[in-house]
Amino acid sequence: MFEYFEFNIAPWGWEITVYFFLIGTAAMTYVYAAAPAVFGDVFGGIARSMEPFQKTGMLAALVLLLISGPLLIVDLGVPERFLYPILHFHWTSPLSWGALFLPLFGLCIVGFLAALWFNRPQLLKPIGILGMLLSLSMPLYTGLDLMVHQTRELWSNPTIPVLFVILSVSSGTALVSVIHLARGQFDARTFEFLHWFLYVALGTTLALFLGELVTLLYGSAELQQAWTLINERFWVQFWVMTFGLGILTPFLLMIVTHYWKSARVLTLAAVLAAVGAFFFRSVLIYAGQLTQIYY
Amino acid sequence: MPVGLQAQPSLGVPGKKRWAMVIDLRRCIGCMACVCADKAEYDVPLGVWRTIVKVKDTGSYPNTKRHFMPRLCNHCDNPPCVRNCPTEATYKHEEGFVLQRYERCIACRTCIAACPYNARHVLPKNRDRVKIGGVIDKCTFCHHRVAADLVPACVQTCLGRSRIFGDLNDPNSEVARLVARHSVVTLKPEKGTAPQVYYIKPDRVHTEQVLSRPVSHAARADAEAFYRHNRGTQFFSGVL
Ligand code: SF4
Ligand code: SF4
């Protein structure tokens, strides 16, 4: 009965997991939509394949931002103080930086849309570049939000921000593929463009997944505890949803699409990779909290 | 100064105070008077604690032992909770207290995530008498009492004199003498937090991470019932 004390509530629930996922997806969708303006003719002009997607992509990024921003705010215990991280800025907290960059990222989306709307093509490139930097900062800051907790060993790992950037590439590619498929806009160049991004994202995710495994298997006492927790409470999310469904299956589908260029199969692979991206993050966030909550 | 803190660590700095606590586990009888005193001093709501006494049973009948271990905020000299707070709502006092500005806290719970000792909690929003709610709270080493030359409420009430409080920078204080004479232990020293609660003779079941999970079936059943009834999930979602 006394052990009752040991149970506390873990700080971050589903809102944070969903927020991390959505903001990462919004960031990568922005990158795709701004790619023609920013990269133009480099790499053989392949980014131009995204030209018909510019407006839709920006609108999709805006919608995601309009969902994830308020989600983050209502998750606060005192939502009406949501501007405090900017007003009382603390430079060592990634959350403060995130709070600063998030509205700026929103402004870039609106600015890009306005430049498209009012036909100001000369503005697209500078806004696109600025917005791409800010969109990179979105998954980066969420990863740093975990990484800076040097006392939580599952999190205090320099690969976490990189992993979050890569996972956002997967989920962004999924959204872009679904929109392209739904609007019947897939052509050979779009296919090639998205295929390449998904390959890189999946390959890097697999490498980082294996790296995480090695860290867990050979790690400290706390990591061993995390490993036990993952295999007890989160084994479906970790092994089935992340590894099986989110990494291995899309890889197999990518091999299929290498020979049989099917936009549907590519989209399916991307959606599965996005599912994996969601669960990978959520397992890391949840298991990382429990070790200390039990302490 | 370690990055992100508002005051230099004062441990060993001449002319400054460094408040600390020694907990002599040879004397703790697990009466929980300290927990009650703390609840009374701050009107700590149901389900959350500023200080606890962890209990672990080891062995099997008839060779069993019950271990007690009072726990509280360690008022770390290099506190990660302070460094990570996005609003500087939690800060370090120059005499070593790690304190909370309720009027600034947004309850993002980053500090809970940052604390390796599970020493922080969220106050429910609607409380009967005390107006402060919806923000993070923690042990303050009874800053208001210490400022009035009193010892913290838990120390005052500890009937085994297991909890001893004082200025570690004063070589004649009881805490300084105890820390000097005994092979004291701090929790998770490898995390670099420089905790300022020193334990005399703790048991491994209480200090080691791999042994830290709750073991008894009754405890788990109890806790699960608590979450089902009050919050529905062990993760913070819609608690406030
Ligand atoms: S014990 Fe936790 S809450 Fe207290 S100062 Fe250290 S890190 Fe902060
Ligand atoms: S919950 Fe409050 S004290 Fe804790 S990090 Fe957030 S703003 Fe700071």
Side-chain angles (χ1 to χ4, degrees), chain B residues 84-87 89-90 100 105-111 120 136:
Chain B
N84 283 300
C85 174
T87 62
T90 185
Q100 193 71 9
C105 176
I106 56 172
C108 62
R109 287 107 60 207
T110 306
C111 53
R120 292 174 164 260
I136 303 300

Side-chain angles (χ1 to χ4, degrees), chain A residues 81 84 88, chain B residues 87-90 101-107 135:
Chain A
R81 295 182 185 166
Y84 280 22
H88 304 292
Chain B
T87 62
E88 296 193 346
T90 185
R101 279 187 272 237
Y102 301 117
E103 73 285 0
R104 233 192 226 201
C105 176
I106 56 172
V135 287

Side-chain angles (χ1 to χ4, degrees), chain A residues 75 81 90 96 152 222 293, chain B residues 85-86 105 109 113 118 191:
Chain A
D75 180 57
R81 295 182 185 166
H90 192 190
S96 270
R152 302 219 158 192
E222 188 180 329
I293 288 300
Chain B
C85 174
C105 176
R109 287 107 60 207
N118 199 3
K191 304 281 188 191

Side-chain angles (χ1 to χ4, degrees), chain A residues 9-21 71-72 75 155 278 281-283 285-286 289, chain B residues 108-109 113 233-239:
Chain A
I9 202 146
W12 290 332
W14 66 265
E15 293 90 342
I16 296 296
T17 320
V18 172
Y19 168 75
F20 280 15
F21 178 76
L71 181 68
L72 191 61
D75 180 57
W155 294 354
F278 178 81
R281 254 184 291 225
S282 91
V283 171
I285 293 173
Y286 284 167
Q289 297 178 68
Chain B
C108 62
R109 287 107 60 207
T233 164
Q234 195 173 352
F235 294 96
F236 194 101
S237 291
V239 169

Side-chain angles (χ1 to χ4, degrees), chain B residues 80-226:
Chain B
C81 56
V82 169
R83 195 172 23 243
N84 283 300
C85 174
T87 62
E88 296 193 346
T90 185
Y91 68 101
K92 194 159 181 294
H93 185 281
E94 56 172 2
E95 293 182 358
F97 305 94
V98 174
L99 301 173
Q100 193 71 9
R101 279 187 272 237
Y102 301 117
E103 73 285 0
R104 233 192 226 201
C105 176
I106 56 172
C108 62
R109 287 107 60 207
T110 306
C111 53
I112 304 186
C115 170
Y117 308 106
N118 199 3
R120 292 174 164 260
H121 59 265
V122 187
L123 288 173
K125 219 163 205 166
N126 301 309
R127 300 172 67 194
D128 292 341
R129 280 171 291 160
V130 181
K131 288 283 168 282
I132 300 162
V135 287
I136 303 300
D137 208 3
K138 66 182 280 296
C139 155
T140 57
F141 257 4
C142 280
H143 174 250
H144 67 297
R145 291 175 59 100
V146 177
D149 278 341
L150 298 168
V151 290
C154 58
V155 174
Q156 173 91 31
T157 203
C158 179
L159 53 88
R161 286 206 80 246
S162 175
R163 293 191 185 225
I164 300 118
F165 185 80
D167 175 13
L168 207 54
N169 283 354
D170 171 6
N172 296 318
S173 69
E174 195 179 352
V175 281
R177 276 187 279 125
L178 285 169
V179 169
R181 277 194 207 147
H182 294 270
S183 50
V184 287
V185 166
T186 53
L187 297 181
K188 297 187 179 177
E190 74 282 2
K191 304 281 188 191
T193 52
Q196 296 305 312
V197 174
Y198 297 84
Y199 291 90
I200 297 176
K201 281 217 153 197
D203 289 293
R204 279 183 66 209
V205 284
H206 278 308
T207 54
E208 293 195 11
Q209 183 80 42
V210 271
L211 303 172
S212 68
R213 288 185 75 184
V215 282
S216 93
H217 178 71
R220 276 193 211 185
D222 223 17
E224 273 156 23
F226 178 84

